[in-house]
């Protein structure tokens, strides 16, 4: 119950009007009673009875029209009243009207306020009509027809107008319609009816004048006129309703579900004169609610409506009752009984709405599927990033835009060692890594960039509208930098390393050429050990990148195109060779010698890694055997791909090769590159332990460049550390590099490890390293990587007549050399694993 309503459903705003009407009627009653008591002519009881019956009958015969929860009746009361005025005085008629209506409303149990209003209104109508009739000089008993027509018509007109004037605001307030609209509604029908009733009034007057017995003919006349009118009203209402229904169902014929629901709610409110319409869809479930004015609520079903009263609902189902998509509810503020015609309309409307909803849902589904197809064709399913096709399309679009603003560039990003993650942790973890990488790139990209996944672990970012080509490198750095923080995969922290290649849009060749250049730049980055590299035409030596991707690798392995060069490891002080590192080379039939950094990645990805690794190992051991036979018993160092360490058969294969060549295991040093991924895997631990326990020596390559050097050392006890070339190169100018070397040497001393400095290119470097306490070195100063036979020849030749040396000693022979504390001869360190005694 809203505060505006009383318990009987009457709107509070009506009370003042009702009060006024009742007050005026009361005044009229008193005046009438006084006048009747004093001077007015009285009528007999039969006439009283006839008058009361006439008014009561007029009030009872009516056409009922429902507007929302309010029924509005058009009755014959004023006709009866005016007829009464032709036989009795105004006061008599006013009082008779009051008596008749009190009687009828009481018998019909009409609520008190409504009854009071009805009684009061009609008494006022009687009073006003009587006053007009007598003011125009007409008296009861006047026989002349001509002298009667005009006054009687005026009286009737007054009655009708007053009746409308008082009633319309009441209907308007109760129904929420505007008075003007109500007044206009069916006006010609109402006018015709009013004229018809005036005819009845005049006819009755004539009948009564001629022979009062003819009064008997009045009710049939009244009734037939009433039937005629009410049928016309009904027919018209029905016709309008059907037209409206047809218009409404037409309007529902749209494909947008929201539009269907909005139309249905507003139209149904209009169609059924409902105070509120609600559509509840099973799909969701979603409820949409509103009035003629629009939607008031659209959300999850179950939200209570503010309209209390009565509700009529209809299931939204097809004609055959098949599909059931929800329910339609009409709410009214009062009790409502739908007519048969309205019920039928409701069912028809609900069925049309059901069809419309189903159509809209089907259309939405169709649109969704179409969009999904379009999306799937241009996007990577795993990461949701654009795919290669989309990148090519968008890139081509961008490059062909004549007045495109700024510079277009492409950054190609390739994850290193991704396959390890996939192979050891499973594809689910691999997928997670890819998704997280995608998320980071997306987050780091600018809105105008296009981030794409080209397949596997290759990503690309198309940079658009750059202010200058140089900005590309900066942006690429930022993109790759975001990948540096370790990723969290199922609680495991995994670090991805990535290499990036940048290319700025070329003048010709379009997107394919831009992609190719970025690819070349990426390989340059990998080769130079840089994070990012920008494409430089001068370094674009043919399309080597494509070689490795094509079907060349299997042939290269089969045809033994992979060979090995050896770079000696030298005792810094004496110049004596203490070992040699095997470095792979691809001797390509048409491209000549190809560097390992150019093809290693492809080999690792290709599945040919075991065959490749075995071929290299075999050649390395063969070389060691040949040197040994010539009197140089040198250990040979072989680089091991991290991926090989994930292969549980790897130790077995290594040991088998050693046995086959009849070489003691400690003549083989396996160089490992540290990666965080590897350091966390049990399988790697098992593989390395087995090798170490068998006597194979382990070296940690590129030491200082990784991030978990120390933690790795604690888990994988190695025999040797190799200081990365970058520190040796930088040591003269950079205190930081020197500090790294110093602390690495300290570490080596305390853990009893051999330390080898890589990339020694000059005598000053050699001396500086020796002074810091470094015993061994490797680099161009001593020798470039050489074929096994060439190295043997060099060893035999020796330096300064000392076979086995490649350079003169640091100090004159014979001079007393004070060994730096803790310095040990390379290759002669205490076997790892023995307890370390503090010095
Ligand atoms: P690495 O193990 O650090 O090998 C040393 C690299 O430094 C070699 O490059 C060598 O030629 C180069 N180098 C040696 N002395 C100097 C010097 O004084 N100055 C300069 N600027 N460079 C010097 P390379 O042969 O191109 O090998 C590159 C990398 O390829 C190696 O780095 C190693 O990680 C990998 N690699 C080489 N052979 C194999 C192999 O058989 N298997 C595996 N898994 N990796 C290999
Ligand atoms: Ca190495
Ligand atoms: Ca190295």
């Amino acid at each position: 119950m809203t505060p505006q309503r009383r318990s009987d459903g009457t709107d509070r705003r009506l009370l003042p009007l009702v009060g006024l009407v009742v007050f005026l009627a009361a005044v009229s009653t008193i005046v009438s009673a006084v006048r009747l008591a004093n001077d007015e002519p009285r009528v007999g009881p039969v006439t009283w009875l006839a008058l009361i019956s006439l008014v009561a009958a007029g009030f009872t015969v009516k056409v009922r029209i429902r507007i929302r929860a309010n029924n509005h009746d058009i009755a014959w009361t004023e006709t009866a009243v005016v007829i009464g005025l032709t036989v009795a005085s105004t006061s008599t008629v006013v009082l008779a009207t009051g008596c008749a209506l009190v009687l009828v409303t009481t018998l019909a149990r009409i609520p008190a306020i409504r009854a009071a209003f009805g009684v009061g209104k009609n008494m006022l109508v009687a009073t006003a009509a009587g006053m007009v009739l007598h003011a125009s000089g007409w008296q009861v008993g006047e026989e002349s027809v001509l002298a009667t027509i005009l006054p009687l018509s005026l009286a009737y007109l007054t009655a009708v107008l007053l009746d409308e004037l008082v009633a319309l605001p009441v209907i308007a307030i109760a129904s929420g319609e505007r008075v003007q609209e109500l007044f206009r509604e069916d006006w010609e029908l109402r006018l015709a009816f009013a004229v018809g009733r005036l005819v009845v009034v005049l006819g009755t007057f004539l009948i009564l004048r001629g022979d009062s017995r003819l009064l008997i003919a009045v009710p049939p006349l009244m009734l037939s006129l009433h039937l005629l009118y009410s049928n016309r009203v009904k027919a018209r209402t029905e016709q309008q309703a059907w037209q409206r229904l047809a218009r409404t169902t037409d309007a529902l014929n749209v494909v947008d579900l929201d539009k269907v629901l909005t139309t249905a709610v507003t139209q149904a409110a209009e169609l059924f004169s409902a105070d509120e319409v609600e559509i509840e869809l099973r799909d969701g479930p979603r409820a949409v609610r509103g009035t003629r004015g629009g939607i008031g609520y659209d959300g999850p079903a179950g939200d209570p409506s503010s309209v209390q009263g009565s509700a009529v609902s209809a299931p939204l189902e097809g004609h055959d009752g098949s599909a059931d998509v929800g329910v339609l509810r009409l709410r009214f503020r009062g009790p409502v009984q739908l007519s048969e015609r309205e019920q039928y309309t409701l069912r028809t409307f609900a069925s049309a709405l059901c069809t419309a909803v189903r159509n809209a849902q089907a259309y939405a589904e169709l649109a969704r599927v179409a969009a999904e197809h379009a999306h799937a064709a241009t996007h990577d399913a795993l990461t949701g990033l654009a795919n290669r096709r989309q990148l090519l399309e968008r890139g081509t679009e961008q490059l062909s835009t004549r007045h495109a603003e700024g510079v277009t560039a492409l950054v190609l990003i390739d994850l290193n060692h991704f396959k390890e993650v996939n192979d050891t942790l499973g594809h689910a973890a691999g997928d997670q890594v890819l998704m997280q990488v995608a998320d980071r790139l997306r987050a780091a990209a600018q809105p105008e960039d296009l981030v794409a996944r080209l397949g596997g672990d290759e990503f690309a970012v198309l940079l658009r509208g750059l202010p200058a080509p140089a900005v590309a490198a900066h942006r690429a750095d930022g993109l790759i930098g975001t990948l540096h923080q370790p990723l969290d995969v199922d609680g495991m922290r995994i670090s991805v390393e990535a290499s990036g290649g940048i290319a700025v849009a070329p003048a010709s060749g379009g997107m394919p050429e831009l992609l190719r250049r970025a690819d070349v730049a990426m390989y340059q980055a990998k080769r130079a050990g840089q994070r990012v590299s920008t494409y430089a035409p001068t370094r674009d030596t043919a399309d080597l990148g494509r070689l490795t991707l094509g079907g060349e690798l299997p042939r290269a392995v089969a045809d033994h195109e992979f060979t090995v060069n050896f770079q000696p490891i030298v005792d810094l002080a004496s110049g004596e060779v203490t070992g040699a590192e095997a470095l792979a080379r691809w001797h390509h039939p048409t491209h000549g010698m190809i560097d390992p950094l150019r093809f290693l990645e492809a080999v690792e990805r290709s599945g040919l890694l075991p065959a490749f690794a075995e071929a290299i190992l075999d050649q390395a051991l063969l070389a060691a055997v040949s040197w040994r036979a010539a009197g140089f018993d040198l250990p040979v160092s072989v680089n091991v791909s991290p991926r090989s360490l994930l292969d549980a058969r790897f130790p077995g294969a290594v040991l088998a090769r050693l046995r086959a060549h009849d070489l003691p295991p400690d003549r083989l040093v396996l160089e490992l590159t540290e990666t965080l991924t590897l350091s966390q895997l049990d399988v790697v631990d098992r593989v390395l332990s087995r090798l170490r326990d068998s006597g194979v020596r382990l070296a940690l390559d590129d030491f200082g460049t990784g991030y978990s050097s120390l933690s790795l050392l604690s888990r994988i006890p190695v025999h040797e550390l190799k200081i990365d070339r970058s520190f040796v190169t930088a040591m003269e100018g950079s205190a930081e590099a020197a500090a790294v070397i110093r602390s690495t040497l300290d570490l080596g001393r305390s853990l009893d490890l051999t330390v080898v400095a890589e990339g020694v290119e000059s005598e000053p470097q050699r001396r500086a390293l020796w002074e810091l306490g470094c015993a061994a070195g490797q680099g161009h100063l001593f020798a470039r990587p050489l074929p096994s036979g060439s190295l043997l020849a060099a060893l035999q030749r020796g330096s300064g007549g000392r076979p086995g040396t490649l350079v003169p000693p640091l100090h004159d022979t014979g001079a007393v050399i004070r060994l730096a504390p803790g310095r040990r001869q390379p290759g002669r360190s205490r076997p790892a694993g023995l307890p370390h005694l503090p010095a």
Side-chain angles (χ1 to χ4, degrees):
M1 187 169 54
T2 65
Q4 301 228 313
R5 320 209 118 241
R6 283 168 47 91
S7 54
D8 62 357
T10 313
D11 197 305
R12 275 181 193 280
R13 286 171 296 174
L14 293 180
L15 289 180
L17 187 65
V18 175
L20 180 69
V21 168
V22 171
F23 171 73
L24 291 176
V27 171
S28 173
T29 307
I30 293 166
V31 171
S32 298
V34 169
R35 288 182 63 185
L36 213 57
N38 296 333
D39 48 348
E40 272 200 6
R42 294 181 205 160
V43 290
V46 179
T47 309
W48 268 103
L49 204 65
L51 282 174
I52 289 173
S53 312
L54 189 66
V55 174
F59 185 77
T60 316
V61 179
K62 49 188 140 192
V63 179
R64 174 160 285 196
I65 294 172
R66 180 179 66 78
I67 297 176
R68 308 211 192 296
N70 300 284
N71 288 311
H72 300 284
D73 302 323
I74 297 176
W76 286 80
T77 325
E78 85 287 345
T79 311
V81 165
V82 176
I83 289 172
L85 287 172
T86 63
V87 293
S89 71
T90 306
S91 307
T92 312
V93 174
V94 168
L95 292 177
T97 302
C99 290
L101 296 191
V102 166
L103 203 71
V104 175
T105 51
T106 309
L107 285 178
R109 298 186 189 202
I110 291 172
I113 291 183
R114 250 178 213 233
F117 179 72
V119 175
K121 183 190 80 175
N122 284 302
M123 287 174 80
L124 287 186
V125 165
T127 312
M131 280 163 71
V132 169
L133 188 63
H134 297 298
S136 55
W138 193 87
Q139 293 293 324
V140 176
E142 169 67 65
E143 294 280 321
S144 157
V145 178
L146 277 178
T148 305
I149 288 178
L150 193 63
L152 208 56
S153 301
L154 278 177
Y156 183 73
L157 193 68
T158 306
V160 168
L161 279 180
L162 187 66
D163 186 80
E164 295 250 315
L165 231 67
V166 177
L168 282 183
V170 178
I171 300 176
I173 287 174
S175 66
E177 306 251 1
R178 305 206 3 235
V179 177
Q180 298 98 294
E181 266 171 40
L182 282 175
F183 195 76
R184 247 182 275 133
E185 213 166 85
D186 293 335
W187 68 272
E188 73 279 27
L189 211 61
R190 294 208 319 276
L191 184 67
F193 190 38
V195 170
R197 290 196 286 190
L198 178 61
V199 170
V200 172
V201 170
L202 295 175
T204 310
F205 167 74
L206 288 178
I207 289 165
L208 289 178
R209 197 192 58 149
D211 187 344
S212 52
R213 277 173 305 175
L214 285 177
L215 199 59
I216 202 87
V218 175
L221 186 66
M222 224 161 108
L223 198 67
S224 47
L225 202 63
H226 174 78
L227 284 176
L228 187 71
Y229 175 69
S230 64
N231 279 338
R232 283 308 301 268
V233 167
K234 232 171 119 189
R236 174 175 286 219
T237 322
E238 226 143 279
Q239 188 194 14
Q240 282 175 345
W242 288 126
Q243 281 170 353
R244 219 182 275 167
L245 179 65
R247 271 200 309 274
T248 308
T249 50
D250 269 357
L252 289 179
N253 214 349
V254 289
V255 291
D256 178 53
L257 184 61
D258 287 342
K259 224 176 194 167
V260 167
L261 296 176
T262 309
T263 307
V265 166
T266 52
Q267 298 289 316
E270 172 96 47
L271 204 57
F272 301 102
S273 264
D275 288 309
E276 184 186 83
V277 174
E278 181 178 88
I279 297 169
E280 189 180 314
L281 293 183
R282 219 164 278 285
D283 196 19
R286 168 186 180 188
V288 179
R289 205 151 58 211
T291 60
R292 298 198 303 167
I295 299 296
Y297 174 85
D298 184 351
D303 178 78
S305 163
S306 61
V307 175
Q308 307 284 311
S310 60
V312 180
S313 49
L316 297 178
E317 54 184 21
H319 286 292
D320 48 357
S322 55
D324 177 8
V325 299
V327 65
L328 169 71
R329 285 191 198 96
L330 309 178
R331 290 208 177 86
F332 303 93
R333 293 197 193 278
V336 159
Q337 188 85 46
L338 290 192
S339 72
E340 219 164 286
R341 195 254 321 149
E342 284 175 318
Q343 284 175 27
Y344 184 77
T345 308
L346 181 60
R347 280 197 299 277
T348 311
F349 180 82
S351 154
L353 178 55
C354 169
T355 309
V357 167
R358 280 166 66 194
N359 284 349
Q361 283 173 341
Y363 182 84
E365 178 63 14
L366 208 68
R368 193 186 60 74
V369 169
E372 215 169 60
H373 275 309
H375 191 268
T378 53
H379 286 77
D380 169 43
L382 177 67
T383 60
L385 294 177
N387 61 11
R388 182 183 288 270
R389 177 176 151 185
Q390 173 89 334
L391 176 75
L392 283 172
E393 265 173 23
R394 285 288 150 81
T396 305
E397 236 166 64
Q398 175 74 18
L399 294 184
S400 59
T401 307
R402 281 184 172 277
H403 304 294
E405 259 178 51
V407 178
T408 305
L410 185 71
V411 184
L412 212 64
I413 298 166
D414 188 277
L415 307 185
N416 305 331
H417 312 299
F418 174 69
K419 230 175 163 177
E420 294 159 26
V421 177
N422 239 351
D423 291 352
T424 48
L425 301 181
H427 285 274
D431 286 355
Q432 278 195 49
V433 168
L434 292 176
M435 285 191 282
Q436 290 185 31
V437 166
D439 285 346
R440 289 200 185 169
L441 290 179
R442 228 189 315 247
Q446 305 273 324
E448 62 275 11
D449 296 346
L450 178 72
V451 185
R453 179 179 169 221
L454 303 183
D457 56 357
E458 228 178 35
F459 295 84
V461 183
L462 185 71
L463 307 174
R464 290 182 272 209
L466 297 176
V471 179
H474 176 70
R475 296 281 310 283
D477 237 14
L479 285 164
I480 293 174
T482 59
L483 305 181
H484 267 224
Q485 287 294 315
L487 305 171
D488 183 53
V489 176
D490 292 335
M492 206 187 320
R493 284 163 74 74
I494 288 191
S495 68
V496 285
E497 295 160 48
S499 307
I502 309 162
V504 170
S508 65
M511 240 349 240
E513 176 62 10
L514 180 59
L515 252 172
R516 190 192 72 79
R517 291 185 175 192
D519 192 56
V520 168
M522 197 186 68
Y523 272 98
Q524 284 166 357
K526 289 207 168 181
R527 180 191 213 158
Q530 292 170 331
R531 207 156 87 172
V532 196
S533 168
T534 303
Y535 174 80
T538 47
R539 283 187 283 162
D540 188 1
T541 52
D543 304 347
L544 276 176
R546 287 185 196 161
L547 272 185
T548 54
L549 300 170
E552 302 248 1
L553 282 176
R555 198 212 63 236
V557 173
D559 293 359
H560 306 288
E561 285 177 19
F562 291 112
T563 60
V564 182
N565 276 358
F566 296 88
Q567 186 173 40
I569 297 166
V570 174
D571 181 289
L572 289 180
S574 65
E576 213 177 306
V577 174
T578 57
E581 178 180 357
L583 294 162
R585 295 291 177 262
W586 182 358
H587 197 88
H588 193 276
T590 53
H591 294 282
M593 214 53 115
I594 304 173
D595 280 358
L597 289 181
R598 207 85 178 86
F599 61 79
L600 276 174
E601 177 95 3
V603 170
E604 286 178 351
R605 286 163 181 249
S606 68
L608 290 165
L609 181 64
F612 167 82
E614 190 156 323
I616 300 297
L617 180 67
D618 224 38
Q619 294 183 49
L621 296 181
L622 205 65
V625 167
S626 71
W627 301 330
R628 202 168 141 98
F632 300 97
D633 189 9
L634 304 172
V636 67
S637 301
V638 175
N639 292 286
V640 177
S641 280
R643 288 211 54 224
S644 294
L645 303 177
L646 299 169
D647 183 356
R649 289 163 309 184
F650 181 68
V654 170
L655 297 173
R657 295 325 297 158
L658 280 167
R659 273 196 303 277
H661 290 285
D662 197 19
L663 205 65
D666 71 349
R667 297 294 85 187
L668 175 65
V669 181
L670 294 180
E671 295 194 2
L672 317 169
T673 329
E674 39 175 344
T675 57
L676 193 58
T677 336
L678 285 187
S679 70
Q680 291 175 334
L681 300 175
D682 287 350
V683 58
V684 174
D685 277 4
R686 281 199 299 277
V687 165
L688 290 178
S689 305
R690 176 140 182 242
L691 286 166
R692 218 178 53 103
D693 294 348
S694 316
V696 173
R697 299 172 64 80
L698 302 177
L700 209 50
D701 207 352
D702 305 338
F703 192 77
T705 55
Y707 11 143
S708 62
S709 309
L710 288 174
S711 68
L712 187 75
L713 271 181
S714 67
R715 294 202 33 223
I716 307 171
V718 296
H719 306 83
E720 190 177 305
L721 297 181
K722 297 190 81 171
I723 299 176
D724 192 65
R725 190 170 79 217
S726 57
F727 299 111
V728 175
T729 309
M731 71 182 290
E732 279 159 317
S734 153
E736 214 175 298
V740 170
I741 294 175
R742 199 174 294 119
S743 59
T744 306
L745 289 166
D746 282 346
L747 187 72
R749 262 192 296 277
S750 61
L751 292 178
D752 233 334
L753 309 174
T754 306
V755 179
V756 180
E758 291 182 321
V760 182
E761 293 180 337
S762 67
E763 277 295 338
Q765 281 174 342
R766 177 187 175 192
R767 179 170 296 275
L769 284 163
W770 184 83
E771 278 169 1
L772 282 173
C774 182
Q778 177 186 352
H780 293 171
L781 172 66
F782 311 111
R784 295 195 175 245
L786 304 164
S788 146
S790 310
L791 178 60
L792 181 58
L795 286 170
Q796 285 167 333
R797 230 178 8 251
S799 154
R802 295 184 302 138
T805 64
L806 290 176
V807 283
L810 261 186
H811 312 274
D812 292 341
T813 39
V816 180
I817 300 160
R818 194 181 55 84
L819 282 177
R823 177 173 323 192
R824 31 183 71 254
Q825 294 296 101
R828 299 212 191 119
S829 62
R830 175 173 57 83
L834 286 185
H836 173 67
L837 300 169

